[in-house]
Amino acid sequence: MLVLSVLSMQVTRPLLFVSFSPSARGADTFTPPAGRWPAAMVWPLALWLAVPGNLPLWQRIAGMEGSLAHRVWLLASFALLMTGAIAALLSLLAWPRLFRPAASGLLLVAAFNTHFMWQYGAVIDPTMFANVVQTDAREVRDLLSLSLLATVLLVAAPPLWWLWQRPLRARGSWQQAARNTAGVLAGLGLALLMALLSYQDLASLMRNQKALRYMANPLNTVYAATRLAADQWPRQAHALQPVGEDARLGASYAQQPRPPLLVLVVGETARADHFMLDGYARPTTPALARWQAQGELVNFSQVHSCGTNTQVSVPCLFSPLTRQQGGDQTPEHENLLDVLQRAGLAVLWLDNQSGCKGVCDRVPHASTLALQVPGLCEDGECFDAVMLQGLDQRIAALDPQRRARGVVVVMHQMGSHGPAYFKRTPASHKPFQPECRSNTLSDCPAEQLINAYDNTLAYTDHFLDQTLQWLQTQAQSGSHDTGLIYLSDHGESLGENGLYLHGVPYSFAPEQQTHVPMVAWLSPGLRERSGLSLDCLRARGADPISHDHFFHSVLGLMDVNTQAYRPALDALAPCAAPRVQAADLKPPSAG
C-alpha cells in the first residue's frame, strides 16, 4: 500500500513540483525541477540497504565473542563489502524506467526480511524462498502484525519517499550503459577490496557462523530466487522420471478376504521432544498413550526429518531417493503415491494445509480450503478433524476395482503450524493455559508460548484418536484390514537460541527442527497379512530411522513388489515374515 500511495503521487507530479520565475516580459512561466540521474541514487540507496537494512545481521555480529576492536572491524568491513555488492546490483538496474520499481522492491524485501529475522530468527535461503512462493493466504494472514508494519515503515518508508520524490533524468542508451557499467565495476571493486583486506576475519566468521551468509539483506533473497529458478525451471521443463513401472501387488492379495486400508497422516511442525510418548513430562498425547498401553500402537522415538520445512520435507518423505541421493531437492522422479496407484491400489490425498507440494498431482485429491463445517471450520480455516467428515463417502467415490484391491489415504494436517498456534485448536481442546494468542512470538512469555504449542499437539492426539477409532470400527466390521502411520514433516523452534518457527538450513538446523514423532497402529488383520510382530516392533521402536525409510516401509507394509523397493530401508522389514515374490500375479487392469 505504501508503494501504491507513493506511485499515485507521480500522477500529480507536474502540479506539485513547479516554480514561478518572472520572464523578461513579466509573465510567470512554469519550470519543472531538474530530475536526478539514476546513477546518483545508487550509492545512497546501497548504503541504506547495507546499514539500516541489515540491523539483525549487525546485532548478531555485535553480540559475538571477541574484543570490541575486532567486532568493530568486522562490522565496518562487512558493511562496506555489502555496500559495494549492493551498489553493483543497483547499477545493473539503473535504467530510468526500471530503477525505481526495482529499487523499491529491494527495499520492501529488505524490510520484510528484517522483520522475520528479528522476530523469528529466520534466515533466507533457497528453500525458505520456495516456502514463501508456496505460501497461501491463510499463512500470510497469520504472519501479519503491527510489528511487521512498524518494521516496514522504519526500514523502507524513508528511502522510498526519497526515491520517488523527484523524477529521473534519462541519457542516451549507450551513455546509460557506460555509466551503469562503471557503477558495477566500482561496486565490485569496493567489495573485492574489503574482501581482500578482511579475508581471514570474514572467512572465519562465515565458517563458524554459517547462518550469517543467509542474513545479508537483500542479497540473500536475490541469491535464493536466482538459485531456486536455476534449479527448478530446467526440471519443470522435463517430465518426471517414472518409478516402479514393474510394480505389482504381492501374494497377500491373492483371494484376500478383506482389502487393506492404510491411513498415512503427514503431521505438521510436531517436534518429538514435546510428545509425551517420547518422554515429555506434560500429557500432550494421552489418547495415544492409551492405545500404546493396550499393546496395539508402536512409538518410534528416534526419527529424523529430511528437511526443516514443508516444501522440502513432504516431497522428500514420499520420494524413492534418500536425502543423500537428492530426495531433498526439487523432485525429478515420481513418488510413493504413483507406485501405489500403478500397482493397482486406490489412493486418496486429503489436504488441510497449503497443498501437497506436487506429491498428489497424479492421484485423486481434495482440499478442505472451501469447506464450512460448523464447529470444525472458522475464519476460513478448518481444524484437522474435518478430514474425517464424509471420509467413507470419499473412499466410496474412488474407482471400485482399485478399492476392491486396497486403499491408501493420506491426510496432510494443519497440525502445529505457526506462528498463530492458538488458531490450530478449538476452544474445547486447550488443556494448557494461559496460552500465547499473538503471532509475534517473542512478545509472549515462554510458558504461554509453550502452552499454545502443546495445545496443538494435544489436538493432534485427539485427531489421531478419532482416526484410530474409525479404523478400528472398519476392522471390526470385517470390511478392511486397517492401519495407520503418523509421521511429522519437520519440527519447530520455540525460542531456543533466539529461533522461532522452522526453516533453518539443514546443515546447521537445531535438533528441535529435525527430531520428529512417529507412531504406527496395525489391526490384527493387517499384521497377519503382512506377517509383522508387534513385540518385535515395540522392541525396535528406539532404532534410529528417518524420512528415508518411509517410501520403502509403506511399500513393504502394503505388499507391493517392485525393483524400486529396498528392504534395507524398510523400517518394518526386520519384524516381518519373508516377503513372497508374486511374479506370477497378473498386472492390475486399467481400472
Side-chain angles (χ1 to χ4, degrees):
M1 292 301 294
L2 176 61
V3 176
L4 292 176
S5 299
V6 177
L7 285 171
S8 66
M9 294 170 59
Q10 305 309 312
V11 177
T12 58
R13 185 71 61 199
L15 299 179
L16 294 175
F17 293 99
V18 297
S19 60
F20 297 94
S21 56
S23 68
R25 290 176 296 181
D28 291 335
T29 61
F30 295 105
T31 303
R36 294 190 178 104
W37 296 111
M41 306 181 76
V42 164
W43 286 91
L45 283 175
L47 188 61
W48 180 276
L49 282 167
V51 181
N54 279 277
L55 294 177
L57 175 60
W58 309 138
Q59 183 184 40
R60 178 76 68 88
I61 295 176
M64 293 170 52
E65 296 180 356
S67 66
L68 176 61
H70 182 252
R71 282 178 287 164
V72 170
W73 166 244
L74 279 177
L75 288 167
S77 57
F78 203 172
L80 288 173
L81 187 155
M82 287 187 55
T83 300
I86 295 171
L89 174 63
L90 289 173
S91 295
L92 282 175
L93 305 171
W95 299 90
R97 293 186 179 182
L98 174 64
F99 182 71
R100 288 197 291 189
S104 299
L106 291 175
L107 287 165
L108 290 171
V109 163
F112 280 98
N113 287 352
T114 294
H115 170 77
F116 293 113
M117 287 191 286
W118 231 337
Q119 290 294 336
Y120 305 117
V123 295
I124 313 301
D125 70 333
T127 57
M128 179 62 76
F129 188 81
N131 268 338
V132 172
V133 172
Q134 293 286 333
T135 295
D136 63 14
R138 293 179 296 180
E139 293 176 331
V140 171
R141 182 184 59 191
D142 287 348
L143 293 169
L144 298 178
S145 64
L146 290 177
S147 61
L148 172 59
L149 176 61
T151 304
V152 171
L153 291 176
L154 173 67
V155 175
L160 280 173
W161 176 83
W162 179 78
L163 179 65
W164 290 91
Q165 184 185 23
R166 293 173 63 183
L168 295 183
R169 300 170 67 181
R171 287 187 173 91
S173 299
W174 288 107
Q175 286 182 307
Q176 189 64 58
R179 290 295 297 259
N180 291 1
T181 302
V184 171
L185 294 176
L188 293 178
L190 175 60
L192 179 60
L193 176 63
M194 297 313 304
L196 292 174
L197 291 176
S198 57
Y199 175 77
Q200 292 295 336
D201 294 315
L202 290 179
S204 176
L205 180 66
M206 293 296 104
R207 187 167 51 249
N208 297 321
Q209 301 285 336
K210 295 181 180 180
L212 296 183
R213 69 186 68 179
Y214 301 111
M215 297 180 65
N217 247 336
L219 299 176
N220 49 5
T221 300
V222 174
Y223 166 76
T226 304
R227 174 73 180 273
L228 184 66
D231 179 56
Q232 289 195 353
W233 284 353
R235 301 187 185 194
Q236 292 176 349
H238 299 86
L240 293 177
Q241 298 181 32
V243 174
E245 290 183 293
D246 60 338
R248 300 291 184 267
L249 300 178
S252 64
Y253 291 87
Q255 299 178 344
Q256 61 180 358
R258 295 170 301 278
L261 168 58
L262 179 65
V263 173
L264 305 174
V265 179
V266 180
E268 168 64 31
T269 320
R271 48 189 276 183
D273 65 351
H274 277 238
F275 240 53
M276 185 175 70
L277 293 184
D278 290 322
Y280 190 48
R282 306 181 86 182
T284 52
T285 55
L288 292 180
R290 290 194 298 272
W291 286 94
Q292 185 183 42
Q294 295 169 9
E296 296 181 328
L297 184 136
V298 178
N299 180 59
F300 297 88
S301 61
Q302 297 299 322
V303 184
H304 283 79
S305 66
C306 183
T308 61
N309 59 72
T310 303
Q311 179 67 25
V312 170
S313 284
V314 168
C316 189
L317 180 63
F318 289 84
S319 173
L321 305 180
T322 66
R323 188 176 185 279
Q324 289 185 337
Q325 292 173 328
D328 61 339
Q329 303 300 313
T330 302
E332 294 182 339
H333 297 78
E334 293 177 342
N335 60 68
L336 173 63
L337 303 187
D338 296 298
V339 179
L340 294 171
Q341 184 166 257
R342 182 170 287 124
L345 298 173
V347 180
L348 173 64
W349 180 289
L350 298 176
D351 206 286
N352 194 37
Q353 247 267 23
S354 57
C356 66
K357 314 307 178 187
V359 173
C360 66
D361 287 353
R362 294 164 300 281
V363 302
H365 55 274
S367 171
T368 66
L369 188 61
L371 294 182
Q372 297 180 352
V373 181
L376 290 176
C377 301
E378 55 186 44
D379 298 329
E381 181 177 315
C382 295
F383 302 117
D384 287 325
V386 77
M387 289 187 285
L388 293 169
Q389 296 291 307
L391 182 54
D392 293 284
Q393 290 79 6
R394 291 186 185 275
I395 293 175
L398 298 174
D399 181 87
Q401 294 185 43
R402 292 181 176 275
R403 278 194 292 110
R405 300 184 194 109
V407 180
V408 177
V409 177
V410 184
M411 297 181 176
H412 188 198
Q413 281 188 274
M414 180 61 82
S416 303
H417 197 289
Y421 303 118
F422 66 95
K423 291 184 178 181
R424 310 286 95 90
T425 54
S428 58
H429 289 86
K430 295 180 181 290
F432 307 108
Q433 293 291 341
E435 69 171 358
C436 171
R437 298 190 62 81
S438 171
N439 54 7
T440 306
L441 302 183
S442 58
D443 290 347
C444 290
E447 60 275 11
Q448 293 186 19
L449 173 58
I450 291 173
N451 284 346
Y453 179 80
D454 285 352
N455 283 337
T456 66
L457 295 183
Y459 186 71
T460 289
D461 178 69
H462 167 72
F463 166 64
L464 292 176
D465 180 42
Q466 286 187 308
T467 307
L468 288 171
Q469 290 182 42
W470 176 76
L471 286 170
Q472 189 176 60
T473 300
Q474 297 285 323
Q476 291 173 347
S477 69
S479 63
H480 292 89
D481 294 328
T482 59
L484 175 143
I485 297 176
Y486 163 82
L487 177 57
S488 184
D489 62 347
H490 54 77
E492 185 87 326
S493 288
L494 296 173
E496 299 89 356
N497 301 314
L499 295 177
Y500 295 89
L501 303 180
H502 51 268
V504 172
Y506 202 89
S507 59
F508 52 90
E511 184 80 356
Q512 292 89 351
Q513 295 191 25
T514 60
H515 185 197
V516 294
M518 174 179 172
V519 299
W521 176 88
L522 309 173
S523 70
L526 189 56
R527 294 200 305 271
E528 181 180 354
R529 68 184 290 151
S530 59
L532 282 167
S533 165
L534 267 182
D535 291 337
C536 175
L537 288 175
R538 283 193 290 264
R540 300 181 66 93
D543 289 353
I545 59 175
S546 71
H547 280 181
D548 293 345
H549 294 80
F550 187 75
F551 176 94
H552 307 278
S553 300
V554 173
L555 287 182
L557 180 60
M558 295 303 291
D559 193 16
V560 173
N561 293 327
T562 170
Q563 292 298 318
Y565 169 75
R566 296 170 57 186
L569 289 175
D570 183 346
L572 308 180
C575 298
R579 286 166 58 90
V580 177
Q581 298 298 319
D584 59 327
L585 290 184
K586 295 181 180 180
S589 66

